[in-house]
Amino acid sequence: MRTVRDAAFDVMRQHGLTTLFANPGSTEVALLADLPDDLAFVLALHEGSVVGAATGWAIARDQPALVLLHTTAGLGNAVGALATARVNRAPLVVLVGQQDRRHLAQEPFLAGNLEGLCGEYPVRVETPIRAQDVPGAIGRAAHAATTRRGPALVIVPMNDWAEPADDLPVPAPAALRQATGADPEAVAHLAGLLAEARSPALVAGSAADTEAGWAALTALAERLNCPVWQESFGARAGFPQDHRLFAGHLPGDRARLRETLAPYDLVLAVGAPVLRQYAYGEGPLAPAGTRLALLTDDADEAHRAPVELAVLAPLPAFCAALAERVPARAQAPAIPARTAPPAPPRPGEPLRAAHVLSALAERLPADAVVVEETPSSRPELHALVPARQPLDFVSAAMGGLGFALPAAIGIRMAAPRRPVVAVVGDGSSLYQIQALWTAVHYEVGAVFIVLANGRYAVMDRLAEKHGGKAPWPAFDQVSVRSLAESLGCPARRVTRYDELVSELGSLVATFETRTEPLVLEVAVEAETAFQP
């Protein structure tokens, strides 16, 4: 007898959902027992690691990843990671186990009120009316995850998998195509704004981080001969940061933002929010006389943008059309000077994060993916480690911790020919340290550089900015190296610059081919300055 489970597997194969990230429970055993050989199972030891690894995989492949979560406990543990996936625009198809449909009305043990548990972060949530509706729901979830760029949930009662597939409804479309053209009238409108501007600037955002996006945005920038800024708090790099027109990263507070944008009479954000901030600040986002416009493929982003003109369109095609339409500019723009790398520390001088990042930048291959989660050192990372190719930089768009370790693992699994280096704070690493077990077990050769200062340094600095003393203690006694080794992951601790240079030098030859993960715990001095 052909079952709903059999039909669901066929739909998964149709949509390329053949790698399953999970931390299973009893309500999912009926799906998983005797899994077909062509479906790969990836175990992580916490649901945050499950979703984080799947998010990295989906970002690297630019296609939906398949996730399996265990009823209320599993979905509840994963909510923060699912919110990150939504804001990172990572397409996920998430199957959530539920108790047996036949006695759900009695709220049996392990039953859950699942549909609203993640709030509005999923792009779609469906509990199929009948068992036979499950395969079609998975197909609909795959389309929603792809077109709306986020996690789509399908809640499946545990007995549904064994039900007969003898009355399946018409499924979701086998293929769904989206238009990729640029509307000529919209191109003309935005091109007119750019042509009127005396000193335009572009802001590159995460949504432009594709091969086609980089090429089209670079062509537009070179045609306009204007500065290109990276959005503040961006999760991806939308423009080559070693390009002559790259101006740097926008600050995350209004006063400095207005100062930065003062030279420009028109600022066009491409695939970025307008203009994302951290702490609230008085006054407008842009100085008087600076007009704002937005080009985005995200309808929500367009609806909330405080701009004169928002255009909702596919980014590469629209940027390419703009580059052909706008007049070329010959005048060279003023580009801020690049941050110079720090001099190596003198003997006996403690290591700082900038020393580590500068040494890493000198040795990283151009195609290396840097996954960042070091809040207090992020400005130095941006300044010293430029993104030179698409997918070179990945971070958590939500700002929550626990993303980098599992995401680096998922990226390396999905793109095994690219070196992957996660740069994380020791405090950040503790949120999903158990992800290292997955890297060891599945021979994922990512490198994890942990900047260890034994404290939540960014929180200490923020407390100081508020004029108070932090009530939380340091955690100097925590050894990330020992925790990594307890999970089977090779790890070394570095305390001196010569040790750091030696370790990084030995890694250079193995970045692309290594199948063994490695943690480098680097002792660094807590920084005394921080600007978001």
Side-chain angles (χ1 to χ4, degrees), residues 269-329:
V270 180
V274 181
L275 292 158
R276 201 176 188 199
Q277 299 287 286
Y278 169 56
Y280 175 74
E282 298 291 344
L285 287 172
T290 299
R291 305 163 78 183
L292 300 177
L294 170 67
L295 170 60
T296 181
D297 59 1
D298 183 333
D300 292 336
E301 200 167 78
H303 297 161
R304 62 176 173 258
V307 296
E308 177 179 333
L309 172 65
V311 176
L312 187 61
L315 301 184
F318 203 97
C319 282
L322 268 182
E324 294 179 357
R325 184 71 182 258
V326 297
R329 294 172 183 267

Short mmCIF file of all heavy atoms in Angstrom, two decimals, residues 269-329:
data_model
loop_
_atom_site.label_atom_id
_atom_site.label_comp_id
_atom_site.label_asym_id
_atom_site.label_seq_id
_atom_site.Cartn_x
_atom_site.Cartn_y
_atom_site.Cartn_z
N ALA A 269 18.96 53.04 -1.70
CA ALA A 269 19.25 51.75 -1.07
C ALA A 269 18.80 50.63 -2.00
O ALA A 269 17.69 50.66 -2.52
CB ALA A 269 18.52 51.64 0.27
N VAL A 270 19.66 49.65 -2.19
CA VAL A 270 19.37 48.53 -3.09
C VAL A 270 19.42 47.24 -2.28
O VAL A 270 20.48 46.81 -1.82
CB VAL A 270 20.39 48.47 -4.25
CG1 VAL A 270 20.07 47.29 -5.17
CG2 VAL A 270 20.40 49.77 -5.03
N GLY A 271 18.25 46.64 -2.07
CA GLY A 271 18.18 45.40 -1.31
C GLY A 271 18.52 45.56 0.14
O GLY A 271 19.02 44.63 0.78
N ALA A 272 18.24 46.74 0.70
CA ALA A 272 18.57 47.04 2.11
C ALA A 272 17.42 47.83 2.72
O ALA A 272 16.74 48.59 2.03
CB ALA A 272 19.85 47.85 2.21
N PRO A 273 17.20 47.68 4.03
CA PRO A 273 16.23 48.55 4.69
C PRO A 273 16.69 50.00 4.70
O PRO A 273 17.88 50.27 4.55
CB PRO A 273 16.17 48.00 6.13
CG PRO A 273 17.14 46.89 6.21
CD PRO A 273 17.84 46.72 4.92
N VAL A 274 15.75 50.91 4.85
CA VAL A 274 16.08 52.35 4.83
C VAL A 274 15.72 52.95 6.19
O VAL A 274 14.57 53.11 6.49
CB VAL A 274 15.30 53.06 3.73
CG1 VAL A 274 15.65 54.53 3.68
CG2 VAL A 274 15.53 52.41 2.38
N LEU A 275 16.69 53.41 6.89
CA LEU A 275 18.09 53.01 6.98
C LEU A 275 18.19 52.41 8.36
O LEU A 275 17.94 53.11 9.35
CB LEU A 275 19.04 54.21 6.82
CG LEU A 275 19.05 54.85 5.41
CD1 LEU A 275 19.55 56.27 5.47
CD2 LEU A 275 19.93 54.04 4.48
N ARG A 276 18.54 51.18 8.50
CA ARG A 276 18.39 50.42 9.72
C ARG A 276 19.23 51.00 10.86
O ARG A 276 20.39 51.33 10.68
CB ARG A 276 18.79 48.96 9.48
CG ARG A 276 18.21 47.98 10.48
CD ARG A 276 18.57 46.57 10.10
NE ARG A 276 17.88 45.61 10.93
CZ ARG A 276 18.27 44.35 11.06
NH1 ARG A 276 19.33 43.92 10.41
NH2 ARG A 276 17.60 43.51 11.81
N GLN A 277 18.60 51.13 12.03
CA GLN A 277 19.25 51.72 13.19
C GLN A 277 19.25 50.73 14.35
O GLN A 277 18.56 49.71 14.33
CB GLN A 277 18.49 52.98 13.63
CG GLN A 277 18.46 54.07 12.55
CD GLN A 277 19.81 54.73 12.38
OE1 GLN A 277 20.23 55.52 13.20
NE2 GLN A 277 20.50 54.40 11.30
N TYR A 278 20.02 51.08 15.38
CA TYR A 278 20.01 50.28 16.61
C TYR A 278 19.33 51.09 17.71
O TYR A 278 18.14 50.98 17.94
CB TYR A 278 21.42 49.86 17.00
CG TYR A 278 21.49 49.28 18.39
CD1 TYR A 278 20.69 48.19 18.75
CD2 TYR A 278 22.32 49.83 19.35
CE1 TYR A 278 20.73 47.67 20.03
CE2 TYR A 278 22.37 49.32 20.63
CZ TYR A 278 21.57 48.23 20.97
OH TYR A 278 21.61 47.73 22.23
N ALA A 279 20.05 51.97 18.37
CA ALA A 279 19.45 52.79 19.41
C ALA A 279 18.64 53.92 18.77
O ALA A 279 18.98 54.44 17.71
CB ALA A 279 20.53 53.37 20.31
N TYR A 280 17.52 54.27 19.41
CA TYR A 280 16.71 55.37 18.89
C TYR A 280 17.48 56.68 19.02
O TYR A 280 18.16 56.94 20.03
CB TYR A 280 15.40 55.49 19.65
CG TYR A 280 14.59 56.69 19.21
CD1 TYR A 280 13.93 56.68 18.00
CD2 TYR A 280 14.54 57.84 19.99
CE1 TYR A 280 13.22 57.78 17.56
CE2 TYR A 280 13.83 58.95 19.57
CZ TYR A 280 13.17 58.92 18.35
OH TYR A 280 12.48 60.02 17.92
N GLY A 281 17.35 57.51 18.02
CA GLY A 281 17.98 58.82 18.05
C GLY A 281 17.00 59.88 17.59
O GLY A 281 16.13 59.63 16.74
N GLU A 282 17.13 61.07 18.12
CA GLU A 282 16.26 62.17 17.73
C GLU A 282 16.62 62.66 16.33
O GLU A 282 17.75 62.53 15.87
CB GLU A 282 16.40 63.32 18.73
CG GLU A 282 15.97 62.97 20.15
CD GLU A 282 14.47 62.75 20.27
OE1 GLU A 282 13.74 63.17 19.35
OE2 GLU A 282 14.04 62.17 21.29
N GLY A 283 15.63 63.24 15.68
CA GLY A 283 15.87 63.84 14.37
C GLY A 283 15.64 62.87 13.23
O GLY A 283 15.41 61.68 13.42
N PRO A 284 15.71 63.36 12.00
CA PRO A 284 15.47 62.53 10.82
C PRO A 284 16.63 61.57 10.56
O PRO A 284 17.72 61.73 11.10
CB PRO A 284 15.33 63.55 9.69
CG PRO A 284 16.17 64.70 10.14
CD PRO A 284 16.02 64.76 11.63
N LEU A 285 16.37 60.58 9.70
CA LEU A 285 17.43 59.66 9.30
C LEU A 285 18.48 60.36 8.46
O LEU A 285 19.68 60.18 8.67
CB LEU A 285 16.84 58.48 8.51
CG LEU A 285 16.05 57.44 9.28
CD1 LEU A 285 15.37 56.47 8.32
CD2 LEU A 285 16.96 56.68 10.23
N ALA A 286 18.02 61.15 7.50
CA ALA A 286 18.94 61.82 6.57
C ALA A 286 18.92 63.32 6.80
O ALA A 286 17.92 63.88 7.28
CB ALA A 286 18.55 61.50 5.14
N PRO A 287 20.00 63.99 6.46
CA PRO A 287 20.02 65.45 6.63
C PRO A 287 19.08 66.14 5.65
O PRO A 287 18.67 65.55 4.63
CB PRO A 287 21.48 65.80 6.34
CG PRO A 287 22.00 64.69 5.49
CD PRO A 287 21.27 63.47 5.93
N ALA A 288 18.73 67.37 5.95
CA ALA A 288 17.88 68.16 5.05
C ALA A 288 18.55 68.26 3.68
O ALA A 288 19.75 68.50 3.57
CB ALA A 288 17.64 69.54 5.65
N GLY A 289 17.77 68.06 2.64
CA GLY A 289 18.32 68.15 1.29
C GLY A 289 18.75 66.82 0.71
O GLY A 289 19.12 66.76 -0.46
N THR A 290 18.73 65.75 1.52
CA THR A 290 19.08 64.42 1.01
C THR A 290 17.80 63.62 0.77
O THR A 290 17.04 63.35 1.71
CB THR A 290 19.98 63.66 2.00
OG1 THR A 290 21.19 64.39 2.20
CG2 THR A 290 20.32 62.28 1.48
N ARG A 291 17.55 63.28 -0.47
CA ARG A 291 16.36 62.50 -0.83
C ARG A 291 16.69 61.01 -0.70
O ARG A 291 17.83 60.60 -0.94
CB ARG A 291 15.92 62.83 -2.25
CG ARG A 291 15.69 64.30 -2.49
CD ARG A 291 15.65 64.65 -3.96
NE ARG A 291 14.38 64.30 -4.58
CZ ARG A 291 14.13 64.47 -5.89
NH1 ARG A 291 15.07 64.95 -6.70
NH2 ARG A 291 12.96 64.14 -6.38
N LEU A 292 15.69 60.23 -0.34
CA LEU A 292 15.88 58.79 -0.14
C LEU A 292 14.99 58.01 -1.10
O LEU A 292 13.82 58.36 -1.32
CB LEU A 292 15.54 58.39 1.30
CG LEU A 292 16.36 59.03 2.42
CD1 LEU A 292 15.85 58.57 3.78
CD2 LEU A 292 17.83 58.71 2.26
N ALA A 293 15.55 56.93 -1.65
CA ALA A 293 14.80 56.04 -2.53
C ALA A 293 15.22 54.61 -2.23
O ALA A 293 16.28 54.37 -1.65
CB ALA A 293 15.04 56.38 -3.99
N LEU A 294 14.37 53.67 -2.63
CA LEU A 294 14.60 52.26 -2.32
C LEU A 294 14.27 51.40 -3.53
O LEU A 294 13.24 51.58 -4.18
CB LEU A 294 13.72 51.81 -1.14
CG LEU A 294 13.66 50.31 -0.85
CD1 LEU A 294 15.02 49.80 -0.37
CD2 LEU A 294 12.58 49.99 0.18
N LEU A 295 15.17 50.45 -3.81
CA LEU A 295 14.91 49.38 -4.77
C LEU A 295 15.00 48.07 -4.00
O LEU A 295 16.05 47.76 -3.41
CB LEU A 295 15.94 49.41 -5.90
CG LEU A 295 15.95 48.20 -6.86
CD1 LEU A 295 14.61 48.04 -7.56
CD2 LEU A 295 17.08 48.34 -7.87
N THR A 296 13.92 47.30 -3.96
CA THR A 296 13.89 46.08 -3.16
C THR A 296 13.03 45.03 -3.83
O THR A 296 12.15 45.35 -4.64
CB THR A 296 13.34 46.38 -1.74
OG1 THR A 296 13.33 45.19 -0.97
CG2 THR A 296 11.91 46.92 -1.81
N ASP A 297 13.27 43.77 -3.48
CA ASP A 297 12.38 42.68 -3.91
C ASP A 297 11.55 42.16 -2.75
O ASP A 297 10.93 41.10 -2.85
CB ASP A 297 13.19 41.55 -4.56
CG ASP A 297 14.23 40.95 -3.63
OD1 ASP A 297 14.33 41.38 -2.47
OD2 ASP A 297 14.94 40.02 -4.07
N ASP A 298 11.54 42.88 -1.63
CA ASP A 298 10.82 42.49 -0.42
C ASP A 298 9.67 43.47 -0.22
O ASP A 298 9.88 44.65 0.08
CB ASP A 298 11.78 42.52 0.77
CG ASP A 298 11.14 42.06 2.07
OD1 ASP A 298 9.91 42.20 2.22
OD2 ASP A 298 11.87 41.57 2.95
N ALA A 299 8.43 42.98 -0.36
CA ALA A 299 7.27 43.87 -0.27
C ALA A 299 7.16 44.52 1.11
O ALA A 299 6.84 45.71 1.21
CB ALA A 299 5.99 43.09 -0.59
N ASP A 300 7.43 43.75 2.18
CA ASP A 300 7.36 44.33 3.52
C ASP A 300 8.35 45.48 3.68
O ASP A 300 8.05 46.51 4.29
CB ASP A 300 7.63 43.26 4.58
CG ASP A 300 6.51 42.23 4.66
OD1 ASP A 300 5.38 42.56 4.25
OD2 ASP A 300 6.77 41.10 5.11
N GLU A 301 9.54 45.28 3.14
CA GLU A 301 10.57 46.32 3.21
C GLU A 301 10.12 47.58 2.46
O GLU A 301 10.34 48.71 2.93
CB GLU A 301 11.86 45.77 2.61
CG GLU A 301 13.13 46.48 3.00
CD GLU A 301 14.35 45.67 2.60
OE1 GLU A 301 14.72 45.69 1.41
OE2 GLU A 301 14.94 45.01 3.49
N ALA A 302 9.47 47.39 1.33
CA ALA A 302 8.99 48.53 0.55
C ALA A 302 7.88 49.28 1.28
O ALA A 302 7.83 50.51 1.28
CB ALA A 302 8.49 48.06 -0.81
N HIS A 303 6.99 48.52 1.94
CA HIS A 303 5.84 49.14 2.58
C HIS A 303 6.24 50.03 3.76
O HIS A 303 5.56 51.03 4.03
CB HIS A 303 4.86 48.07 3.07
CG HIS A 303 4.28 47.26 1.96
ND1 HIS A 303 3.70 46.02 2.15
CD2 HIS A 303 4.19 47.51 0.62
CE1 HIS A 303 3.28 45.54 0.99
NE2 HIS A 303 3.57 46.43 0.06
N ARG A 304 7.31 49.68 4.47
CA ARG A 304 7.66 50.45 5.68
C ARG A 304 8.77 51.47 5.44
O ARG A 304 9.16 52.18 6.37
CB ARG A 304 8.10 49.49 6.79
CG ARG A 304 9.32 48.66 6.49
CD ARG A 304 9.75 47.81 7.69
NE ARG A 304 10.83 46.90 7.33
CZ ARG A 304 10.68 45.60 7.09
NH1 ARG A 304 9.48 45.05 7.18
NH2 ARG A 304 11.70 44.84 6.76
N ALA A 305 9.26 51.58 4.23
CA ALA A 305 10.42 52.44 3.97
C ALA A 305 10.03 53.92 4.02
O ALA A 305 9.10 54.35 3.32
CB ALA A 305 11.02 52.10 2.62
N PRO A 306 10.75 54.75 4.78
CA PRO A 306 10.50 56.20 4.83
C PRO A 306 11.21 56.91 3.68
O PRO A 306 12.19 57.64 3.87
CB PRO A 306 11.07 56.60 6.19
CG PRO A 306 12.21 55.65 6.40
CD PRO A 306 11.81 54.35 5.74
N VAL A 307 10.72 56.71 2.45
CA VAL A 307 11.42 57.19 1.26
C VAL A 307 10.47 57.96 0.35
O VAL A 307 9.25 57.86 0.45
CB VAL A 307 12.05 56.01 0.47
CG1 VAL A 307 13.12 55.32 1.29
CG2 VAL A 307 10.98 55.01 0.03
N GLU A 308 11.07 58.70 -0.56
CA GLU A 308 10.30 59.40 -1.58
C GLU A 308 9.76 58.43 -2.63
O GLU A 308 8.63 58.58 -3.12
CB GLU A 308 11.19 60.45 -2.24
CG GLU A 308 10.55 61.21 -3.37
CD GLU A 308 11.50 62.24 -3.96
OE1 GLU A 308 12.41 62.72 -3.24
OE2 GLU A 308 11.33 62.58 -5.14
N LEU A 309 10.56 57.43 -2.97
CA LEU A 309 10.16 56.45 -3.98
C LEU A 309 10.66 55.07 -3.57
O LEU A 309 11.85 54.91 -3.25
CB LEU A 309 10.75 56.81 -5.36
CG LEU A 309 10.57 55.77 -6.47
CD1 LEU A 309 9.09 55.59 -6.81
CD2 LEU A 309 11.38 56.12 -7.70
N ALA A 310 9.77 54.10 -3.56
CA ALA A 310 10.15 52.69 -3.35
C ALA A 310 9.73 51.91 -4.58
O ALA A 310 8.59 52.04 -5.06
CB ALA A 310 9.46 52.13 -2.11
N VAL A 311 10.65 51.13 -5.10
CA VAL A 311 10.39 50.31 -6.28
C VAL A 311 10.52 48.85 -5.87
O VAL A 311 11.55 48.43 -5.31
CB VAL A 311 11.38 50.62 -7.42
CG1 VAL A 311 11.14 49.69 -8.60
CG2 VAL A 311 11.25 52.08 -7.85
N LEU A 312 9.48 48.07 -6.12
CA LEU A 312 9.47 46.64 -5.82
C LEU A 312 9.73 45.89 -7.11
O LEU A 312 8.90 45.90 -8.03
CB LEU A 312 8.11 46.26 -5.23
CG LEU A 312 7.93 44.85 -4.68
CD1 LEU A 312 8.88 44.58 -3.53
CD2 LEU A 312 6.49 44.64 -4.23
N ALA A 313 10.91 45.26 -7.20
CA ALA A 313 11.32 44.66 -8.47
C ALA A 313 12.46 43.67 -8.24
O ALA A 313 13.15 43.76 -7.22
CB ALA A 313 11.76 45.74 -9.45
N PRO A 314 12.70 42.76 -9.19
CA PRO A 314 13.88 41.90 -9.10
C PRO A 314 15.15 42.72 -9.22
O PRO A 314 15.29 43.52 -10.16
CB PRO A 314 13.70 40.93 -10.27
CG PRO A 314 12.77 41.61 -11.21
CD PRO A 314 11.87 42.45 -10.37
N LEU A 315 16.07 42.55 -8.29
CA LEU A 315 17.21 43.47 -8.19
C LEU A 315 18.17 43.41 -9.37
O LEU A 315 18.52 44.46 -9.94
CB LEU A 315 17.96 43.23 -6.88
CG LEU A 315 17.14 43.39 -5.59
CD1 LEU A 315 18.05 43.23 -4.38
CD2 LEU A 315 16.47 44.75 -5.55
N PRO A 316 18.68 42.23 -9.77
CA PRO A 316 19.70 42.24 -10.84
C PRO A 316 19.19 42.83 -12.14
O PRO A 316 19.86 43.67 -12.75
CB PRO A 316 20.05 40.75 -10.99
CG PRO A 316 19.70 40.14 -9.67
CD PRO A 316 18.49 40.88 -9.21
N ALA A 317 17.99 42.42 -12.57
CA ALA A 317 17.47 42.92 -13.84
C ALA A 317 17.22 44.42 -13.77
O ALA A 317 17.50 45.16 -14.73
CB ALA A 317 16.17 42.19 -14.20
N PHE A 318 16.70 44.90 -12.64
CA PHE A 318 16.39 46.32 -12.53
C PHE A 318 17.67 47.15 -12.48
O PHE A 318 17.76 48.21 -13.12
CB PHE A 318 15.53 46.56 -11.29
CG PHE A 318 14.73 47.83 -11.37
CD1 PHE A 318 13.41 47.82 -11.78
CD2 PHE A 318 15.30 49.05 -11.04
CE1 PHE A 318 12.67 48.98 -11.86
CE2 PHE A 318 14.57 50.23 -11.11
CZ PHE A 318 13.23 50.20 -11.53
N CYS A 319 18.66 46.70 -11.71
CA CYS A 319 19.93 47.43 -11.66
C CYS A 319 20.60 47.47 -13.03
O CYS A 319 21.17 48.51 -13.43
CB CYS A 319 20.87 46.78 -10.64
SG CYS A 319 20.51 47.19 -8.93
N ALA A 320 20.55 46.36 -13.75
CA ALA A 320 21.14 46.33 -15.09
C ALA A 320 20.43 47.31 -16.02
O ALA A 320 21.08 48.02 -16.80
CB ALA A 320 21.07 44.91 -15.64
N ALA A 321 19.10 47.37 -15.92
CA ALA A 321 18.35 48.31 -16.75
C ALA A 321 18.65 49.75 -16.37
O ALA A 321 18.77 50.63 -17.23
CB ALA A 321 16.85 48.02 -16.63
N LEU A 322 18.80 50.00 -15.07
CA LEU A 322 19.16 51.36 -14.62
C LEU A 322 20.52 51.77 -15.15
O LEU A 322 20.72 52.91 -15.59
CB LEU A 322 19.18 51.40 -13.09
CG LEU A 322 17.92 51.80 -12.34
CD1 LEU A 322 18.21 51.83 -10.84
CD2 LEU A 322 17.38 53.14 -12.81
N ALA A 323 21.47 50.83 -15.10
CA ALA A 323 22.83 51.14 -15.56
C ALA A 323 22.84 51.54 -17.03
O ALA A 323 23.66 52.36 -17.46
CB ALA A 323 23.74 49.94 -15.32
N GLU A 324 21.94 50.98 -17.82
CA GLU A 324 21.86 51.34 -19.24
C GLU A 324 21.16 52.68 -19.45
O GLU A 324 21.42 53.38 -20.43
CB GLU A 324 21.12 50.25 -20.01
CG GLU A 324 21.86 48.91 -20.06
CD GLU A 324 21.08 47.85 -20.81
OE1 GLU A 324 19.94 48.16 -21.24
OE2 GLU A 324 21.61 46.73 -20.97
N ARG A 325 20.28 53.03 -18.50
CA ARG A 325 19.42 54.22 -18.69
C ARG A 325 20.03 55.51 -18.14
O ARG A 325 19.85 56.58 -18.71
CB ARG A 325 18.07 53.94 -18.01
CG ARG A 325 17.02 55.02 -18.19
CD ARG A 325 16.49 55.03 -19.62
NE ARG A 325 15.52 56.09 -19.80
CZ ARG A 325 14.19 55.91 -19.82
NH1 ARG A 325 13.69 54.69 -19.69
NH2 ARG A 325 13.37 56.92 -20.01
N VAL A 326 20.75 55.44 -17.02
CA VAL A 326 21.25 56.67 -16.40
C VAL A 326 22.46 57.20 -17.16
O VAL A 326 23.23 56.44 -17.75
CB VAL A 326 21.64 56.44 -14.91
CG1 VAL A 326 20.43 56.02 -14.09
CG2 VAL A 326 22.75 55.41 -14.79
N PRO A 327 22.64 58.53 -17.17
CA PRO A 327 23.83 59.09 -17.85
C PRO A 327 25.10 58.79 -17.07
O PRO A 327 25.10 58.73 -15.83
CB PRO A 327 23.54 60.60 -17.87
CG PRO A 327 22.57 60.82 -16.75
CD PRO A 327 21.74 59.57 -16.65
N ALA A 328 26.18 58.59 -17.78
CA ALA A 328 27.47 58.32 -17.14
C ALA A 328 28.01 59.59 -16.50
O ALA A 328 27.82 60.70 -17.02
CB ALA A 328 28.45 57.78 -18.16
N ARG A 329 28.70 59.42 -15.39
CA ARG A 329 29.29 60.55 -14.67
C ARG A 329 30.82 60.40 -14.70
O ARG A 329 31.33 59.32 -14.43
CB ARG A 329 28.82 60.60 -13.22
CG ARG A 329 27.33 60.88 -13.07
CD ARG A 329 26.89 60.72 -11.63
NE ARG A 329 25.46 60.92 -11.49
CZ ARG A 329 24.89 62.09 -11.18
NH1 ARG A 329 25.67 63.15 -10.95
NH2 ARG A 329 23.60 62.21 -11.08
#
